[in-house]
Amino acid sequence: ATTPETTVVRGARSTLAIDTRRESEERVDSLPVSPQQLFGVLPQVLASLNMRTATLDQGALSIASAPTQFRRVLDGERLSHFISCGVTAMGNNADLYSVTLRVHTWVERAGEAASVLHTIVRATARPNDNGSGSSVNCASNGKLEGRVRALAVLKVMEAR
């Protein structure tokens, strides 16, 4: 485990302190909101990233996106801002290839009014040549997981 990083988010009506740590492929965020409140906004978070919900398990407080294909841009940023799929002489493959993303997020109870948000991003990329090129695995740099967290915090604060 790594040392947590604390971020303070101030809204019009409330303030949240968020502790974050990255453990290999998984991003873990501690949030001072109830698990049900946090889980309740996750479908909106995926939708705001133009991702469809594939599985929603209310008992496990778990949600996963359907595999979603992106080209060049996600949420106003170049794909290479979020993931690495290798580099060729033409540039970053994440910005040149068709990238398929999957996001899996789940919430753990950390007390009555506290939660732990776990997020994992998986990605593959394929050249834009009608599928004749080989697929490559991509690595997340943690920024998309951070965007999921930020959007979740925003949605929770809007609901307060």
Side-chain angles (χ1 to χ4, degrees):
T2 59
T3 304
E5 168 189 315
T6 301
T7 304
V8 176
V9 180
R10 289 180 176 77
R13 293 174 279 180
S14 61
T15 300
L16 295 176
I18 303 160
D19 290 329
T20 301
R21 69 183 187 280
R22 184 147 167 86
E23 295 182 1
S24 64
E25 298 177 340
E26 179 183 343
R27 181 178 174 125
V28 181
D29 295 294
S30 299
L31 300 154
V33 298
S34 75
Q36 289 72 25
Q37 188 179 22
L38 181 57
F39 181 70
V41 302
L42 293 179
Q44 297 169 44
V45 169
L46 288 183
S48 68
L49 292 169
N50 295 316
M51 301 184 90
R52 203 173 38 81
T53 299
T55 60
L56 181 74
D57 184 338
Q58 293 190 350
L61 300 179
S62 174
I63 186 171
S65 72
T68 307
Q69 193 170 83
F70 293 91
R71 282 184 140 175
R72 296 184 189 87
V73 176
L74 169 65
D75 200 30
E77 300 276 355
R78 296 177 74 87
L79 281 166
S80 59
H81 178 76
F82 300 108
I83 58 171
S84 173
C85 303
V87 178
T88 66
M90 301 296 291
N92 288 318
N93 290 339
D95 298 330
L96 301 171
Y97 287 13
S98 292
V99 175
T100 301
L101 290 170
R102 294 165 188 83
V103 175
H104 179 205
T105 302
W106 66 100
V107 179
E108 273 187 291
R109 177 178 301 279
E112 281 304 309
S115 305
V116 177
L117 180 68
H118 299 263
T119 305
I120 295 176
V121 171
R122 301 265 190 248
T124 57
R126 181 178 296 277
N128 296 320
D129 58 3
N130 297 324
S132 64
S134 297
S135 179
V136 296
N137 289 322
C138 304
S140 174
N141 61 17
K143 290 180 181 174
L144 182 54
E145 295 89 333
R147 185 71 53 98
V148 168
R149 186 259 343 239
L151 289 168
V153 167
L154 178 65
K155 301 289 185 197
V156 166
M157 291 179 80
E158 287 173 352
R160 286 187 169 182

